[in-house]
Amino acid sequence: MNVLYDHQIWLMQRFGGISRYFIELMKNSGGLFNYSVTGVYSSNEYLKDMGLHKDFPVSFNFKGRRRILKRLNEGESVKQMNGDSVDILHPTYFSPYFNTSKKVVLTVYDMIYELFPEMMCDGEMINMRKETVHKADKIIAISECTKKDLLRIYPDISPEKVEVTYLGNSFPVSENSRKENYILFTGN
C-alpha cells in the first residue's frame, strides 16, 4: 500500500504539532505501508531532518513567495496523487484542492472553528474543512470528543466513516524524569 502525504502542512509550519504528527506516522510506519511526500519546497524542520526537503532556488523572501511555493507544491501533489504509485491520499490539512479517484484518509484534530466561529473569524476554514471532510473516504478523529463534535456538526457523515485513533509520541522517558509532585502545563 502506498500513501501520499501532501504539501499543505509543510508550508504552514516550520515546527508544529500537526507536521510532527505526520512525521511520526512516517517514521513509525514499520513497513506496514510505503509513503511519499509532496511539498518538499518548505521551511519545515522535520522534513529537513528526514532528508525530504529541497531548498527553493531563491533563498530570500519576497512578496508572492508563499503563493509560488503553494502552486509548485500543489501541482506536484496533484501530479503524484493521480499517478499509478499512490493508493491512498492523506491530506495534511484541509484545503479541498484535490480531485482524485484514490482513497482519501483525513485526520481531524478538533472542531474549534465550527464550535466557536465568532471567536475564530475564519469562515473560509470552516468551508474548506466541510468540503474536505465530505471528500474523505475515512476520517481519523484524535479523540472521542472530536468524533462526537464532527458527527454533530455534520450529521450526514456516517459514524462508520470515522475512526478514533489517539495521538502518541516518541519522546523518550527516563527514570529521572518521574517526580512524585509535579505540574503538567499543556497551554501556551
Side-chain angles (χ1 to χ4, degrees), residues 78-116:
V78 169
K79 182 178 155 189
Q80 282 193 39
M81 81 178 67
N82 291 317
D84 292 336
S85 63
V86 173
D87 301 310
I88 296 173
L89 169 66
H90 195 153
T92 58
Y93 212 61
F94 302 106
S95 173
Y97 72 94
F98 57 90
N99 217 355
T100 184
S101 60
K102 309 296 175 155
K103 295 290 184 188
V104 176
V105 174
L106 181 71
T107 301
V108 176
Y109 311 92
D110 58 48
M111 301 302 291
I112 295 298
Y113 287 93
E114 292 83 356
L115 292 171
F116 304 104

Side-chain angles (χ1 to χ4, degrees), residues 6-8 10-11 37-42 54-58 62 64-81 97:
D6 76 1
H7 65 285
Q8 296 180 73
W10 317 123
L11 287 176
V37 176
T38 64
V40 293
Y41 289 127
S42 76
K54 285 186 203 170
D55 286 323
F56 188 61
V58 179
F62 57 88
R65 176 188 170 107
R66 195 169 175 81
R67 188 172 37 248
I68 290 170
L69 290 173
K70 181 181 180 227
R71 296 263 167 116
L72 286 171
N73 287 322
E74 200 169 273
E76 183 61 25
S77 292
V78 169
K79 182 178 155 189
Q80 282 193 39
M81 81 178 67
Y97 72 94

Side-chain angles (χ1 to χ4, degrees), residues 6-7 9 13 15 24 30 52 55 80 97 106 116 134 137-138 153 161 166-167 170 173-175 180 183-184 188:
D6 76 1
H7 65 285
I9 202 62
Q13 294 183 329
F15 296 97
E24 293 295 329
L52 298 171
D55 286 323
Q80 282 193 39
Y97 72 94
L106 181 71
F116 304 104
H134 284 89
D137 296 293
K138 197 64 151 175
I153 292 165
K161 184 176 175 177
Y166 300 101
L167 299 177
S170 62
V173 177
S174 71
E175 290 300 317
E180 192 166 311
I183 296 174
L184 175 63
N188 59 10

Side-chain angles (χ1 to χ4, degrees), residues 4 13-14 24 30 35 41 47-48 55-56 60 79 88 93 103 121 131 133 138 140-142 160 175 178 182-184:
L4 176 67
Q13 294 183 329
R14 184 169 176 210
E24 293 295 329
Y35 63 84
Y41 289 127
L47 278 183
K48 286 180 186 177
D55 286 323
F56 188 61
F60 59 89
K79 182 178 155 189
I88 296 173
Y93 212 61
K103 295 290 184 188
C121 301
E131 186 176 343
V133 160
K138 197 64 151 175
I140 299 170
I142 67 161
E160 289 77 34
E175 290 300 317
R178 295 185 183 176
Y182 63 91
I183 296 174
L184 175 63

